[in-house]
Amino acid sequence: MAQTEAEKCAAAGGTWKYDAGTGYCDLPKKGKPLDAANIRPALKPVMFDPVSGKFMVDGGAITLVNASPSGGGSKGATGAPGATGSTGATGATGATGAPGTPVASGSGVLDFPNTGRQSSSDLTVIVIGALPGQMVALGVPFGSVVTDSDYTAWVSAPGVVTVRFSNYSADALNPAPGTFTAGVLI
């Protein structure tokens, strides 16, 4: 059976170490000279293969000794970051999808009228490039937030986002004017 890099290193009088996820042979300054046929002094990257669940060196699997998530072994050096995968609306890295998702936005000062109990009022914001059916995120100014009410928004016509103030209370409500921002995924 072929010797591992660590075994070759030990045979040469060195110590196999890891630095930033890369294994290498640390030889004492006074010791056996390197034999290029048995010891490769170049650093070799160690990568994790998520499909097999194994760490790989030069495409071959390696076994970690004393490595356990429960703390049974010593902590090794941190490896290089892997490639970033795509994410969706509930992805681990964000709620907005893949990087570079185009967003059109528009804002305007909206002054909703005194809105009767159990009713609603609509105003609009211009968002160039928005089309009906596209997803809208609405930024509501803190000063316009009123108890027992909410705001919703949708693209009601090309380039137009309708913002609806809904009053769920038993009394008329008149929210303070404020700058509302509508972002549309286009």
Side-chain angles (χ1 to χ4, degrees):
M1 184 165 129
Q3 282 186 314
T4 65
E5 296 294 317
E7 290 170 333
K8 291 176 186 177
C9 179
T15 304
W16 189 255
K17 296 183 177 182
Y18 287 94
D19 182 23
T22 303
Y24 66 96
C25 185
D26 185 22
L27 293 169
K29 293 187 180 188
K30 296 178 183 176
K32 295 181 183 179
L34 281 178
D35 180 353
N38 292 326
I39 302 290
R40 286 192 262 172
L43 299 178
K44 296 169 69 175
V46 176
M47 300 178 74
F48 181 73
D49 177 16
V51 175
S52 68
K54 296 181 180 179
F55 287 89
M56 311 295 273
V57 175
D58 283 345
I62 63 170
T63 302
L64 297 179
V65 179
N66 290 333
S68 87
S70 61
S74 60
K75 181 178 178 182
T78 302
T84 302
S86 62
T87 60
T90 58
T93 62
T96 59
T101 302
V103 176
S105 66
S107 61
V109 176
L110 301 182
D111 186 3
F112 287 91
N114 190 31
T115 303
R117 62 187 179 100
Q118 304 292 310
S119 63
S120 59
S121 299
D122 294 348
L123 295 175
T124 60
V125 175
I126 301 301
V127 179
I128 305 296
L131 296 172
Q134 292 175 323
M135 188 180 345
V136 177
L138 183 64
V140 177
F142 180 75
S144 298
V145 175
V146 181
T147 303
D148 296 327
S149 68
D150 73 359
Y151 296 92
T152 54
W154 67 95
V155 181
S156 54
V160 179
V161 171
T162 296
V163 179
R164 175 170 287 166
F165 171 72
S166 297
N167 176 1
Y168 303 117
S169 76
D171 299 313
L173 296 176
N174 189 5
T179 301
F180 288 71
T181 302
V184 180
L185 293 178
I186 56 173

